[in-house]
Structures are given as C-alpha cells and as structure tokens.
Amino acid sequence: MTITLRHATVDDLLAVGALHQRSRVAAYSSFLPAEALADPTPEAMGAYWAERWAWERDDHLMTVAERDGRLVGFSYLGPDDQDDPTTGLLNAIHLDPDEQGRGTGRALMADALATMRGRGWHRAVLWVLEPNANARRFYERGGWLPTGERREEHVGTAYTPQLRYARKL
C-alpha cells in the first residue's frame, strides 16, 4: 500500500475535480457554511480543472498521488502570481479525506518543492485559508512562514481571508 506520484494527464482531471470537492468539504466545513461548499459540484470542479489545464499546462504542473491505483491526492504548481521570476507558486495540495495523516501530503509537498528547485526558482509561495488551522500547521511544519500578505477570495459563495506563506528552496 505505497503511494505513487506521477504527472497528471487530461484523463485524470474529472477524478481530480471530484477529489478536490471532497477535500474542500472535509477541510473547510468547520469554518464555512454548507451552502458555500455545495457549489461547485464534483462534476463542475472536474470541468474547472479541464479548462484550467487547457490554459496553464505549458507552465504549470499537476502531480497526482495514487494508492493501490486509486487517486488519493494532487498538487498543482506554477509561476508566481505576483510575477517574480525567481519564485514558484504552490497553488494546491488536496487529499482525499481518508488520506489525511498517511504521509501523502508530505510526499506531494516534497515533490513540489523539488520540482520548483528544478525549474530554477529560489523561493516558493502559497496562499492558505486563514481559518484553516490544520493546513497552516501542515505548511508551517514544512518550513513555510507567513509573509504578512492577506487577500480575500471566494470559496463557493463565501468570502474567505487568505494568508500568503513563503519558504526558501
């Protein structure tokens, strides 16, 4: 029952969308209202990833994690969203809720950081939902530190504060 990481293909995107939606509901339900997490549906989230992939696949990378041939997590990275050419952005790490605490998130993070170093970036950044204490602890254990930058973005229908984190590569 080992974890396998590989680059995603277009055939993975509908399953990635469904996993992403399950992950969001499990991770955010303690601080976001149910109606904010009801939309998008797993199918709509798959369509979102298919469209995003079409636009970003030349400079972004999605890695999927499989356990016993079943998709259990993914990461997504690309160039910095503030146009710093020395910095990469970790857009996402999401796990199937049953996969929490099994080392899959750490494996995806280590792989993403190695990929960023391989692309010549010297710094990595990410945005995390401020009320998501579990994710913040996960990233802080991985050497990430808050930068002090904040923004608010929609998660479903709810505006949610986010914090920017960074670490050297």
Side-chain angles (χ1 to χ4, degrees):
M1 293 201 344
T2 60
I3 214 62
T4 303
L5 302 182
R6 64 173 175 78
H7 294 170
T9 68
V10 70
D11 294 334
D12 294 313
L13 299 178
L14 291 179
V16 163
L19 182 144
H20 189 182
Q21 180 61 4
R22 286 192 309 276
S23 173
R24 285 166 40 113
V25 169
Y28 307 162
S29 63
S30 66
F31 57 86
L32 287 179
E35 61 272 9
L37 296 171
D39 191 43
T41 64
E43 297 79 13
M45 190 68 88
Y48 161 82
W49 278 109
E51 183 174 337
R52 186 169 180 180
W53 176 271
W55 290 102
E56 295 180 341
R57 68 177 169 220
D58 290 340
D59 62 358
H60 285 66
L61 177 67
M62 180 181 284
T63 300
V64 295
E66 294 178 325
R67 185 179 300 280
D68 300 327
R70 187 175 71 87
L71 180 73
V72 295
F74 73 95
S75 66
Y76 193 66
L77 63 88
D80 179 43
D81 61 344
Q82 296 179 356
D83 296 324
D84 179 347
T86 67
T87 299
L89 176 67
L90 180 57
N91 291 275
I93 293 180
H94 281 276
L95 300 178
D96 191 274
D98 294 336
E99 199 64 21
Q100 293 282 333
R102 300 186 73 184
T104 305
R106 287 188 304 276
L108 285 165
M109 185 186 341
D111 178 75
L113 296 173
T115 299
M116 289 179 176
R117 281 190 290 276
R119 290 187 173 193
W121 292 325
H122 303 289
R123 180 175 177 251
V125 295
L126 60 84
W127 290 97
V128 64
L129 299 182
E130 185 174 357
N132 192 346
N134 289 336
R136 291 176 60 191
R137 276 192 301 276
F138 169 75
Y139 290 119
E140 289 167 6
R141 282 192 307 266
W144 299 80
L145 298 170
T147 66
E149 293 174 81
R150 297 180 58 138
R151 71 179 185 188
E152 285 203 4
E153 296 283 328
H154 271 103
V155 174
T157 57
Y159 266 115
T160 307
Q162 297 181 355
L163 301 175
R164 190 168 172 97
Y165 276 64
R167 62 162 286 158
K168 291 182 180 179
L169 294 173

